[in-house]
Amino acid sequence: HHESFAISRGRRECRLQPASGMSRLALEDVRAWQLAHAFRLEVCRLLKSSAVASADMRFSVGLFRTARSIESSVGDGFRQGADDASARCLEDAGHALAAALVAIEDGIDRGYFSRQLSEPALEAGHQAARTIKSLHLYLERCARTRGRRA
């Protein structure tokens, strides 16, 4: 009996199984990665829409790199398998996502973006955050379960 985790609630449901079963899924099929990727694309769209934000290199490069690191951390976690290292990668992705959402709010406060223009990025970020958190908690449970069996 293998424990598994539903990654997507949509039409196409993917299941992760600890250890070797994880390698059967393509990274692009993992819902957490899909949402992190969608968030990065929304951040790019948002940055391209604002000449003022783009002119603030520290802000725009920082936000872009943070968004890119979320996608990368989810991918790293997926490649690790269901263990402590993968849980840490997902935890890192969650922290980076929280920082990116704060940066978007900061961009709104600075007048770089309107609230309306920022909504798709904020919504994509919140969706990704919920899914990444769920996967992170699942991977922590897997690691604890494995630790008790060893």
Side-chain angles (χ1 to χ4, degrees):
H1 173 260
H2 284 284
E3 187 175 354
S4 64
F5 177 73
I7 299 300
S8 170
R9 292 187 190 124
R11 291 188 326 245
R12 187 169 170 216
E13 188 172 274
C14 299
R15 294 200 170 276
L16 287 183
Q17 293 180 347
S20 63
M22 287 187 75
S23 63
R24 292 188 205 134
L25 290 175
L27 178 60
E28 292 77 14
D29 290 333
V30 177
R31 185 77 175 139
W33 184 86
Q34 291 171 343
L35 292 170
H37 179 72
F39 177 69
R40 182 181 59 81
L41 294 177
E42 283 298 326
V43 165
C44 289
R45 179 197 57 80
L46 193 58
L47 289 170
K48 286 178 185 176
S49 73
S50 173
V52 180
S54 296
D56 184 339
M57 292 300 289
R58 180 175 290 176
F59 176 83
S60 61
V61 170
L63 178 54
F64 174 76
R65 285 182 177 164
T66 302
R68 188 178 59 195
S69 77
I70 299 160
E71 192 175 354
S72 177
S73 292
V74 171
D76 289 346
F78 177 74
R79 284 185 280 277
Q80 294 289 331
D83 61 11
D84 281 337
S86 60
R88 280 191 301 277
C89 289
L90 270 291
E91 184 176 28
D92 290 347
H95 291 309
L97 188 46
L101 290 169
V102 167
I104 292 171
E105 292 289 347
D106 184 43
I108 294 168
D109 293 344
R110 292 180 189 201
Y112 292 172
F113 323 115
S114 70
R115 168 76 52 194
Q116 183 178 359
L117 188 64
S118 304
E119 273 310 313
L122 292 169
E123 179 55 31
H126 290 300
Q127 278 188 315
R130 286 189 297 270
T131 303
I132 288 168
K133 181 68 174 174
S134 293
L135 184 54
H136 170 234
L137 293 172
Y138 167 75
L139 292 171
E140 281 188 333
R141 284 193 307 274
C142 284
R144 281 195 306 270
T145 301
R146 280 191 181 168
R148 285 194 294 256
R149 283 189 220 150

